[in-house]
Amino acid sequence: MTIGDFSRAVRLSAKALRFYHRIGLLAPRSVDARNGYRLYAPEQMADAQVIRTLRLLEVPVDAIRAVLSAPTIDDRSALLTEHLELMERKLDETRAAVQSLRGMLEEPSPAIEIVHRSVPETRVVAIRDSIALRNLGTWFRAAVAELTAIAETAAPSTTGRYGGVWSAELFEEEHGEAILYLTVEDGFPAGWATGRSRILVLPAVELAVATHSGPDETVPRVYAALGEYVARHELSVRGPVRETYLEGFPAIDAHSVTEIGWPIFRVSR
């Protein structure tokens, strides 16, 4: 089949077919040495249709190459499932962003109460990593699963609240330290910290605190209100933001209640 006939059959442009040949994704069966014409075999149409479908789904070229070269059907299915799960997460994020924008357009910003809090040194069992901001959601879910599993094996009297500590660099540089923790009492043995978790002591800190209640997509409004308040009324300290999860977990539960603490420098009560 000439490139023109093959292009019409698989609904890929000749330009796209030349590109896929150049990068080694779909080579023609033969190339005429005299005139450079590309000739394709009918049995290559299946691969071309796979490429077209996956490119419509915005699957990266390297991922398509891995799918086409997978040694077994199970391997191919596993690669496609992985990408579909990634697309579903992106779709959820897009829906949340759309809902947040609609809320900004249609609903007035709620009045948000802000209080001061002096937090003493706090003993916690925690998972601490340096991560990329784009991986925060996946990392958060995995860390929640690990810590809740630890909490289920511990005596209820030895554990308290879940929370998160998010470095300034994580948001400014899109890469930084993230900590998910569960507060623990003295009766919590260090040996109960398993897997990635470790016993840590979070330093004392002064915070301006606002409470978010509702779906995850409305969290940015509370952060914005808290940031504006600190800018107008407080001395902001360059340090990590602390979150305390009073009910559920943001981005996991449909409704959650979270205290958001912004570090400040206080000179009076």
Side-chain angles (χ1 to χ4, degrees):
M1 300 178 70
T2 65
I3 192 171
D5 288 343
F6 192 76
S7 171
R8 284 190 290 271
V10 299
R11 300 182 66 188
L12 282 171
S13 69
K15 179 180 179 180
L17 290 171
R18 294 187 189 99
F19 171 71
Y20 295 143
H21 180 198
R22 187 167 64 251
I23 64 175
L25 189 61
L26 181 64
R29 180 57 52 86
S30 65
V31 178
D32 192 302
R34 294 170 299 174
N35 53 31
Y37 288 172
R38 296 169 171 84
L39 297 173
Y40 293 82
E43 56 265 28
Q44 290 184 281
M45 287 193 287
D47 282 352
Q49 289 168 342
V50 169
I51 292 170
R52 177 179 176 274
T53 300
L54 294 182
R55 287 302 292 157
L56 287 173
L57 295 175
E58 300 183 354
V59 176
V61 168
D62 287 343
I64 297 175
R65 183 180 286 109
V67 169
L68 293 176
S69 61
T72 69
I73 293 176
D74 288 343
D75 292 331
R76 188 178 304 160
S77 296
L79 289 169
L80 291 173
T81 297
E82 180 181 345
H83 188 75
L84 287 174
E85 290 174 349
L86 176 62
M87 290 183 63
E88 287 170 350
R89 290 196 295 271
K90 288 183 177 179
L91 183 59
D92 288 341
E93 292 170 359
T94 300
R95 285 173 174 159
V98 169
Q99 189 169 346
S100 179
L101 286 172
R102 288 190 185 281
M104 292 178 188
L105 293 172
E106 299 170 1
E107 302 172 12
S109 297
I112 296 173
E113 182 182 3
I114 297 172
V115 299
H116 296 115
R117 186 166 301 154
S118 298
V119 181
E121 284 190 347
T122 308
R123 186 171 181 257
V124 300
V125 57
I127 296 172
R128 176 168 62 184
D129 281 314
S130 179
I131 66 171
L133 182 59
R134 66 178 180 276
N135 297 329
L136 177 56
T138 302
W139 180 90
F140 184 82
R141 289 179 176 85
V144 166
E146 289 187 49
L147 287 187
T148 52
I150 291 173
E152 288 171 359
T153 64
S157 61
T158 63
T159 61
R161 298 268 189 204
Y162 293 94
V165 181
W166 316 114
S167 67
E169 291 78 12
L170 182 60
F171 300 99
E172 294 173 8
E173 309 298 334
E174 298 188 353
H175 197 286
E177 186 176 75
I179 299 174
L180 189 76
Y181 67 83
L182 171 64
T183 61
V184 295
E185 304 297 332
D186 292 338
F188 184 93
W192 286 359
T194 59
R196 295 185 296 165
S197 65
R198 298 290 183 272
I199 298 295
L200 302 177
V201 177
L202 300 180
V205 66
E206 298 286 338
L207 300 172
V209 178
T211 300
H212 168 265
S213 179
D216 185 58
E217 54 265 22
T218 59
V219 169
R221 297 193 205 178
V222 180
Y223 263 91
L226 185 56
E228 180 180 358
Y229 171 85
V230 170
R232 292 181 182 276
H233 304 289
E234 304 289 351
L235 293 175
S236 179
V237 173
R238 181 176 174 77
V241 171
R242 291 199 190 185
E243 294 181 342
T244 301
Y245 308 123
L246 305 182
E247 180 183 323
F249 293 96
I252 294 180
D253 298 295
H255 182 281
S256 61
V257 180
T258 302
E259 286 187 345
I260 302 167
W262 192 295
I264 58 174
F265 182 80
R266 295 191 68 193
V267 295
S268 62
R269 292 190 178 275

